[in-house]
């Protein structure tokens, strides 16, 4: 049986394919969505343990979808992916509640480690019982818990 249910939201078929093929080999069940609307339907109908979300989607901005995820399933960690590696994107994603931020192209082994970290921070409790563990740098308005976000803050 799978350790966790993961939703991957990306308009690039190759990204969805990579996750759909590689994550089950690591014991996860994977659902994919190509659009924000598909993702919302999945989130409303299935409890996920983790969401991996691209910022650029054809129908809905990924950061807007991130906000909707925070409303629909506030305790579920969300990893945000993007090809546009900017500090502004990273800060916006973290402010809106992303667990962490990943830049494409990415190393799959680094993604596996990040998935494990996110799931360990929210151990095998059902998604509705998960609590986010976020470090708040309130003086600056930056919210984040990863080492990358601490480096950005410094």
């Amino acid at each position: 049986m799978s350790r966790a249910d993961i939703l991957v939201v990306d308009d690039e078929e190759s990204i969805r394919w990579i996750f759909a093929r590689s994550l089950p080999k690591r014991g996860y069940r994977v659902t994919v969505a190509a659009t924000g609307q598909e993702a919302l339907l999945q989130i409303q109908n299935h409890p996920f343990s983790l969401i991996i979300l691209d910022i650029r989607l054809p129908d809905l901005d990924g950061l807007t979808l991130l906000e909707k995820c925070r409303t629909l399933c506030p305790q579920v960690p969300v990893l945000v992916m993007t090809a546009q590696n900017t500090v502004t994107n990273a800060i916006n994603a973290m402010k809106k509640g992303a667990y962490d931020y990943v830049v494409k192209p990415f190393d799959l082994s680094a993604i596996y480690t990040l998935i494990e970290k996110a799931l360990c921070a929210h151990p095998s409790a059902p998604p509705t019982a998960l609590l986010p563990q976020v470090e708040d740098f309130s003086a600056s308005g930056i919210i984040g818990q990863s080492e990358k976000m601490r480096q950005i803050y410094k």
Side-chain angles (χ1 to χ4, degrees):
M1 184 167 197
S2 297
R3 294 182 350 218
D5 288 306
I6 298 175
L7 174 63
V8 176
V9 186
D10 199 304
D11 62 330
E12 292 180 54
E13 185 175 349
S14 62
I15 299 291
R16 293 190 313 271
W17 185 87
I18 288 168
F19 281 113
R21 298 291 183 263
S22 66
L23 291 178
K25 292 176 184 175
R26 302 187 71 87
Y28 302 113
R29 284 196 302 198
V30 178
T31 302
V32 295
T35 67
Q37 292 304 321
E38 280 182 58
L40 286 172
L41 284 172
Q42 292 292 339
I43 292 165
Q44 290 168 348
N45 293 312
H46 185 80
F48 290 99
S49 304
L50 177 76
I51 299 170
I52 301 173
L53 169 64
D54 188 19
I55 284 183
R56 302 260 185 222
L57 297 170
D59 62 340
L60 188 63
D61 176 74
L63 294 177
T64 301
L65 180 56
L66 174 60
E67 289 176 326
K68 291 178 185 279
C69 289
R70 300 284 34 105
T71 300
L72 293 169
C73 49
Q75 301 84 7
V76 175
V78 179
L79 303 179
V80 174
M81 298 183 295
T82 186
Q84 282 72 40
N85 184 17
T86 68
V87 172
T88 302
N89 276 344
I91 290 171
N92 285 337
M94 300 307 281
K95 277 185 175 181
K96 292 178 187 286
Y99 176 81
D100 211 333
Y101 181 85
V102 178
V103 179
K104 293 178 187 177
F106 48 80
D107 175 24
L108 269 178
S109 63
I111 293 290
Y112 298 149
T113 301
L114 189 54
I115 288 170
E116 285 296 320
K117 270 179 61 177
L119 292 172
C120 286
H122 308 286
S124 65
T128 56
L130 300 173
L131 295 174
Q133 298 181 8
V134 176
E135 188 173 322
D136 185 357
F137 295 107
S138 57
S140 67
I142 296 176
I143 299 172
Q145 69 183 27
S146 71
E147 184 58 33
K148 289 178 187 176
M149 285 310 299
R150 289 187 190 115
Q151 290 172 359
I152 289 170
Y153 177 72
K154 289 176 184 172

